[in-house]
Amino acid sequence: MTSISIEETEQFLPAFNADGLIPCVAVDDKSGAVLMMAWMNLEALQKTIESGIAHYWSRSRQELWKKGATSGALQSVVSAKIDCDQDTVLLAVTLQKPQQTCHTGRNTCFYRTIVPDSDSTSGLRLEAHNTD
Amino acid sequence: MTSISIEETEQFLPAFNADGLIPCVAVDDKSGAVLMMAWMNLEALQKTIESGIAHYWSRSRQELWKKGATSGALQSVVSAKIDCDQDTVLLAVTLQKPQQTCHTGRNTCFYRTIVPDSDSTSGLRLEAHNTD
Protein backbone atom coordinates (compact mmCIF):
# COMPACT_ATOMS: atom_id res chain seq x y z
CA MET A 1 0.00 0.00 0.00
CA THR A 2 1.36 3.38 -1.00
CA SER A 3 0.68 6.60 0.83
CA ILE A 4 -2.62 6.93 -1.03
CA SER A 5 -5.41 6.05 1.36
CA ILE A 6 -7.67 3.07 0.91
CA GLU A 7 -10.44 5.54 0.06
CA GLU A 8 -8.59 7.16 -2.84
CA THR A 9 -6.36 4.46 -4.27
CA GLU A 10 -7.15 2.82 -7.59
CA GLN A 11 -5.55 -0.37 -6.31
CA PHE A 12 -8.05 -3.13 -5.74
CA LEU A 13 -7.53 -4.04 -2.07
CA PRO A 14 -10.76 -5.71 -0.99
CA ALA A 15 -11.25 -6.23 2.74
CA PHE A 16 -12.42 -9.84 2.74
CA ASN A 17 -13.70 -11.10 6.09
CA ALA A 18 -12.18 -14.00 8.05
CA ASP A 19 -13.94 -16.43 5.69
CA GLY A 20 -12.48 -14.71 2.62
CA LEU A 21 -15.82 -13.17 1.70
CA ILE A 22 -17.13 -9.69 0.93
CA PRO A 23 -20.81 -8.68 0.92
CA CYS A 24 -22.30 -7.78 -2.44
CA VAL A 25 -25.48 -5.78 -3.03
CA ALA A 26 -27.23 -6.24 -6.38
CA VAL A 27 -29.53 -3.57 -7.77
CA ASP A 28 -31.68 -3.52 -10.90
CA ASP A 29 -29.89 -1.24 -13.35
CA LYS A 30 -33.16 0.00 -14.82
CA SER A 31 -35.31 0.66 -11.76
CA GLY A 32 -32.52 1.05 -9.22
CA ALA A 33 -34.39 -1.31 -6.88
CA VAL A 34 -32.28 -3.29 -4.43
CA LEU A 35 -32.69 -6.93 -5.38
CA MET A 36 -30.59 -8.98 -2.98
CA MET A 37 -27.47 -9.20 -0.89
CA ALA A 38 -25.10 -12.12 -1.27
CA TRP A 39 -21.44 -12.88 -0.66
CA MET A 40 -18.46 -13.14 -2.97
CA ASN A 41 -14.99 -14.55 -2.65
CA LEU A 42 -12.19 -13.32 -4.92
CA GLU A 43 -12.92 -15.99 -7.51
CA ALA A 44 -16.61 -15.06 -7.67
CA LEU A 45 -15.73 -11.40 -8.14
CA GLN A 46 -13.12 -12.17 -10.80
CA LYS A 47 -15.56 -14.38 -12.70
CA THR A 48 -18.24 -11.71 -12.41
CA ILE A 49 -16.00 -9.07 -13.97
CA GLU A 50 -14.50 -11.37 -16.61
CA SER A 51 -17.77 -12.91 -17.77
CA GLY A 52 -20.19 -10.05 -17.16
CA ILE A 53 -22.50 -12.49 -15.37
CA ALA A 54 -22.95 -12.28 -11.58
CA HIS A 55 -21.25 -15.01 -9.58
CA TYR A 56 -21.50 -15.31 -5.81
CA TRP A 57 -20.24 -17.65 -3.11
CA SER A 58 -22.95 -19.85 -1.65
CA ARG A 59 -22.33 -20.00 2.09
CA SER A 60 -24.89 -22.78 2.54
CA ARG A 61 -23.48 -24.96 -0.22
CA GLN A 62 -19.90 -23.72 0.21
CA GLU A 63 -19.39 -23.41 -3.52
CA LEU A 64 -19.14 -20.91 -6.33
CA TRP A 65 -22.66 -19.92 -7.35
CA LYS A 66 -23.38 -18.64 -10.84
CA LYS A 67 -26.82 -17.26 -10.11
CA GLY A 68 -29.36 -18.57 -12.59
CA ALA A 69 -27.09 -21.29 -13.98
CA THR A 70 -29.94 -23.81 -13.67
CA SER A 71 -33.03 -21.58 -13.74
CA GLY A 72 -31.83 -19.26 -16.49
CA ALA A 73 -32.35 -16.27 -14.17
CA LEU A 74 -28.94 -14.86 -14.96
CA GLN A 75 -27.85 -11.41 -13.86
CA SER A 76 -25.95 -9.46 -16.52
CA VAL A 77 -23.55 -6.98 -14.98
CA VAL A 78 -23.77 -3.35 -16.08
CA SER A 79 -21.32 -2.07 -13.47
CA ALA A 80 -19.46 -3.31 -10.40
CA LYS A 81 -18.41 -0.82 -7.76
CA ILE A 82 -16.66 -0.99 -4.42
CA ASP A 83 -17.13 1.31 -1.46
CA CYS A 84 -14.81 3.74 0.31
CA ASP A 85 -13.19 1.24 2.66
CA GLN A 86 -13.32 -1.56 0.07
CA ASP A 87 -15.47 -3.90 2.12
CA THR A 88 -18.71 -3.98 0.10
CA VAL A 89 -19.37 -4.57 -3.61
CA LEU A 90 -22.30 -3.07 -5.51
CA LEU A 91 -23.50 -4.63 -8.75
CA ALA A 92 -25.93 -3.00 -11.15
CA VAL A 93 -27.50 -5.79 -13.19
CA THR A 94 -30.11 -6.49 -15.81
CA LEU A 95 -32.35 -9.47 -15.27
CA GLN A 96 -33.32 -12.27 -17.58
CA LYS A 97 -36.12 -13.44 -15.28
CA PRO A 98 -37.04 -10.77 -12.72
CA GLN A 99 -39.51 -13.04 -10.86
CA GLN A 100 -36.72 -15.43 -10.04
CA THR A 101 -34.50 -12.88 -8.35
CA CYS A 102 -35.51 -14.22 -4.95
CA HIS A 103 -35.74 -17.97 -4.36
CA THR A 104 -39.27 -17.34 -3.04
CA GLY A 105 -40.36 -16.33 -6.54
CA ARG A 106 -40.37 -12.57 -6.03
CA ASN A 107 -38.60 -9.80 -7.90
CA THR A 108 -36.67 -8.73 -4.78
CA CYS A 109 -35.59 -10.36 -1.53
CA PHE A 110 -36.78 -7.29 0.41
CA TYR A 111 -40.56 -7.82 0.58
CA ARG A 112 -41.19 -7.34 4.31
CA THR A 113 -41.13 -4.13 6.30
CA ILE A 114 -39.90 -3.98 9.90
CA VAL A 115 -42.49 -2.28 12.11
CA PRO A 116 -42.84 -1.60 15.86
CA ASP A 117 -44.71 -4.24 17.87
CA SER A 118 -44.95 -3.77 21.62
CA ASP A 119 -46.15 -7.35 22.05
CA SER A 120 -42.96 -8.97 20.82
CA THR A 121 -39.75 -9.43 22.78
CA SER A 122 -37.68 -7.42 20.33
CA GLY A 123 -40.34 -4.72 20.01
CA LEU A 124 -40.43 -5.42 16.29
CA ARG A 125 -42.32 -7.53 13.80
CA LEU A 126 -42.56 -7.81 10.04
CA GLU A 127 -45.28 -6.66 7.73
CA ALA A 128 -45.54 -8.44 4.43
CA HIS A 129 -46.27 -6.41 1.32
CA ASN A 130 -46.90 -7.29 -2.25
CA THR A 131 -44.20 -6.95 -4.82
CA ASP A 132 -44.71 -6.82 -8.55
CA MET B 1 -40.43 -20.89 15.28
CA THR B 2 -43.76 -22.13 13.99
CA SER B 3 -44.22 -24.14 10.85
CA ILE B 4 -44.22 -20.94 8.81
CA SER B 5 -40.90 -20.64 7.05
CA ILE B 6 -38.39 -17.91 7.77
CA GLU B 7 -39.23 -16.48 4.35
CA GLU B 8 -42.95 -16.09 5.03
CA THR B 9 -43.26 -15.47 8.77
CA GLU B 10 -44.12 -12.04 10.13
CA GLN B 11 -42.05 -12.83 13.20
CA PHE B 12 -38.90 -10.77 13.39
CA LEU B 13 -36.15 -13.39 13.59
CA PRO B 14 -32.99 -11.64 12.41
CA ALA B 15 -29.99 -13.82 11.67
CA PHE B 16 -27.28 -11.86 13.45
CA ASN B 17 -23.74 -13.06 12.79
CA ALA B 18 -21.36 -14.38 15.46
CA ASP B 19 -20.68 -10.78 16.53
CA GLY B 20 -24.39 -10.05 16.94
CA LEU B 21 -24.46 -7.91 13.81
CA ILE B 22 -26.51 -7.77 10.62
CA PRO B 23 -25.51 -5.89 7.46
CA CYS B 24 -27.64 -2.90 6.53
CA VAL B 25 -27.84 -1.23 3.13
CA ALA B 26 -29.02 2.38 3.01
CA VAL B 27 -30.56 3.84 -0.13
CA ASP B 28 -31.72 7.36 -0.93
CA ASP B 29 -35.52 7.25 -0.85
CA LYS B 30 -35.80 9.87 -3.59
CA SER B 31 -33.23 8.73 -6.14
CA GLY B 32 -33.02 5.08 -5.11
CA ALA B 33 -29.21 5.35 -5.17
CA VAL B 34 -27.31 3.01 -2.88
CA LEU B 35 -25.54 5.21 -0.35
CA MET B 36 -23.63 2.93 2.01
CA MET B 37 -23.48 -0.39 3.78
CA ALA B 38 -23.01 -0.53 7.54
CA TRP B 39 -23.74 -2.93 10.38
CA MET B 40 -26.44 -2.99 13.05
CA ASN B 41 -26.87 -4.83 16.30
CA LEU B 42 -30.35 -5.33 17.75
CA GLU B 43 -30.16 -2.10 19.74
CA ALA B 44 -29.20 -0.06 16.66
CA LEU B 45 -32.10 -1.54 14.73
CA GLN B 46 -34.56 -0.94 17.57
CA LYS B 47 -33.41 2.68 17.93
CA THR B 48 -33.65 3.16 14.17
CA ILE B 49 -37.27 2.00 14.12
CA GLU B 50 -38.28 3.80 17.33
CA SER B 51 -36.68 7.14 16.52
CA GLY B 52 -36.97 7.18 12.72
CA ILE B 53 -33.28 8.13 12.54
CA ALA B 54 -30.69 5.62 11.29
CA HIS B 55 -28.46 4.10 13.95
CA TYR B 56 -25.67 1.65 13.19
CA TRP B 57 -23.01 -0.24 15.11
CA SER B 58 -19.52 1.12 14.59
CA ARG B 59 -17.22 -1.88 14.31
CA SER B 60 -14.10 0.32 14.49
CA ARG B 61 -15.25 2.18 17.59
CA GLN B 62 -17.28 -0.73 18.98
CA GLU B 63 -20.17 1.53 19.90
CA LEU B 64 -23.66 2.54 18.88
CA TRP B 65 -23.38 5.07 16.06
CA LYS B 66 -26.16 7.54 15.40
CA LYS B 67 -25.01 8.62 11.97
CA GLY B 68 -24.75 12.40 11.76
CA ALA B 69 -25.01 12.95 15.51
CA THR B 70 -22.04 15.32 15.36
CA SER B 71 -22.07 16.48 11.73
CA GLY B 72 -25.82 16.93 11.44
CA ALA B 73 -25.87 14.54 8.44
CA LEU B 74 -28.75 12.55 9.89
CA GLN B 75 -30.60 9.91 7.89
CA SER B 76 -34.37 9.99 8.33
CA VAL B 77 -35.90 6.58 7.81
CA VAL B 78 -38.74 6.24 5.31
CA SER B 79 -38.85 2.44 5.47
CA ALA B 80 -36.88 -0.46 6.92
CA LYS B 81 -37.09 -3.86 5.28
CA ILE B 82 -35.55 -7.24 5.84
CA ASP B 83 -34.77 -9.87 3.25
CA CYS B 84 -36.08 -13.39 2.68
CA ASP B 85 -33.72 -15.19 5.05
CA GLN B 86 -33.68 -12.28 7.50
CA ASP B 87 -29.97 -11.64 7.33
CA THR B 88 -29.84 -8.21 5.66
CA VAL B 89 -31.65 -4.94 6.44
CA LEU B 90 -32.52 -2.33 3.82
CA LEU B 91 -33.21 1.27 4.84
CA ALA B 92 -34.73 3.89 2.57
CA VAL B 93 -33.70 7.26 3.96
CA THR B 94 -33.87 10.97 3.29
CA LEU B 95 -30.73 12.98 3.82
CA GLN B 96 -30.14 16.19 5.66
CA LYS B 97 -26.68 16.64 4.16
CA PRO B 98 -26.19 14.44 1.09
CA GLN B 99 -22.52 15.39 0.68
CA GLN B 100 -21.74 13.94 4.06
CA THR B 101 -23.13 10.50 3.34
CA CYS B 102 -19.62 9.15 2.92
CA HIS B 103 -16.86 10.16 5.32
CA THR B 104 -14.83 11.14 2.25
CA GLY B 105 -17.27 13.96 1.53
CA ARG B 106 -19.21 12.28 -1.26
CA ASN B 107 -22.90 11.58 -1.67
CA THR B 108 -22.34 7.81 -1.83
CA CYS B 109 -19.66 5.40 -0.64
CA PHE B 110 -19.69 3.66 -4.05
CA TYR B 111 -17.61 6.02 -6.21
CA ARG B 112 -15.13 3.57 -7.77
CA THR B 113 -15.78 0.99 -10.46
CA ILE B 114 -14.04 -2.39 -10.53
CA VAL B 115 -12.46 -2.99 -13.94
CA PRO B 116 -10.22 -5.68 -15.46
CA ASP B 117 -6.47 -5.09 -15.25
CA SER B 118 -4.18 -7.79 -16.55
CA ASP B 119 -1.19 -6.12 -14.87
CA SER B 120 -2.42 -6.61 -11.32
CA THR B 121 -2.23 -9.81 -9.29
CA SER B 122 -5.99 -10.01 -8.83
CA GLY B 123 -6.66 -9.10 -12.46
CA LEU B 124 -8.67 -6.13 -11.23
CA ARG B 125 -8.23 -2.46 -10.43
CA LEU B 126 -10.46 0.46 -9.57
CA GLU B 127 -11.49 3.37 -11.72
CA ALA B 128 -12.51 6.51 -9.91
CA HIS B 129 -15.49 8.45 -11.18
CA ASN B 130 -17.06 11.70 -10.24
CA THR B 131 -20.14 11.78 -8.09
CA ASP B 132 -22.49 14.73 -7.73
Side-chain angles (χ1 to χ4, degrees), chain B residues 9-86:
Chain B
T9 183
E10 295 195 358
Q11 270 189 278
F12 177 65
L13 298 165
F16 291 111
N17 69 11
D19 295 324
L21 302 177
I22 192 167
C24 175
V25 179
V27 303
D28 184 317
D29 184 62
K30 286 176 195 159
S31 68
V34 177
L35 303 170
M36 56 182 279
M37 201 284 269
W39 295 80
M40 288 180 162
N41 61 1
L42 179 57
E43 185 189 4
L45 185 49
Q46 287 168 329
K47 283 194 187 291
T48 296
I49 304 293
E50 285 164 16
S51 67
I53 301 292
H55 289 66
Y56 303 98
W57 176 258
S58 167
R59 294 185 302 171
S60 53
R61 295 193 306 272
Q62 287 285 301
E63 64 181 24
L64 189 72
W65 166 35
K66 179 180 177 180
K67 183 170 167 58
T70 9
S71 67
L74 297 170
Q75 297 181 338
S76 300
V77 178
V78 177
S79 72
K81 294 181 180 172
I82 201 158
D83 70 344
C84 46
D85 46 5
Q86 299 205 30

Side-chain angles (χ1 to χ4, degrees), chain A residues 2-128:
Chain A
T2 67
S3 59
I4 302 177
S5 72
I6 193 85
E7 291 92 346
E8 304 303 332
T9 183
E10 295 194 358
Q11 271 189 278
F12 177 64
L13 299 164
F16 292 110
N17 69 11
D19 296 324
L21 302 176
I22 192 167
C24 174
V25 179
V27 303
D28 184 317
D29 184 62
K30 287 177 193 157
S31 68
V34 178
L35 303 169
M36 57 181 278
M37 200 284 271
W39 295 80
M40 287 180 162
N41 60 3
L42 179 58
E43 186 189 4
L45 185 50
Q46 287 168 330
K47 284 194 185 292
T48 296
I49 304 293
E50 285 164 17
S51 68
I53 301 291
H55 290 67
Y56 303 98
W57 175 257
S58 169
R59 294 185 301 171
S60 53
R61 296 193 304 272
Q62 287 286 300
E63 63 180 25
L64 189 73
W65 166 35
K66 180 180 177 179
K67 185 171 165 58
T70 9
S71 67
L74 297 170
Q75 298 180 337
S76 300
V77 177
V78 177
S79 72
K81 294 180 181 173
I82 201 158
D83 70 344
C84 47
D85 45 6
Q86 300 206 29
D87 66 3
T88 305
V89 171
L90 174 64
L91 292 186
V93 300
T94 56
L95 303 168
Q96 311 274 340
K97 296 184 175 178
Q99 287 300 338
Q100 289 183 44
T101 292
C102 180
H103 73 287
T104 62
R106 295 176 172 95
N107 63 359
T108 174
C109 294
F110 296 93
Y111 50 85
R112 286 172 296 183
T113 300
I114 309 169
V115 295
D117 177 15
S118 55
D119 290 340
S120 75
T121 320
S122 63
L124 302 170
R125 70 174 167 80
L126 306 183
E127 201 165 73

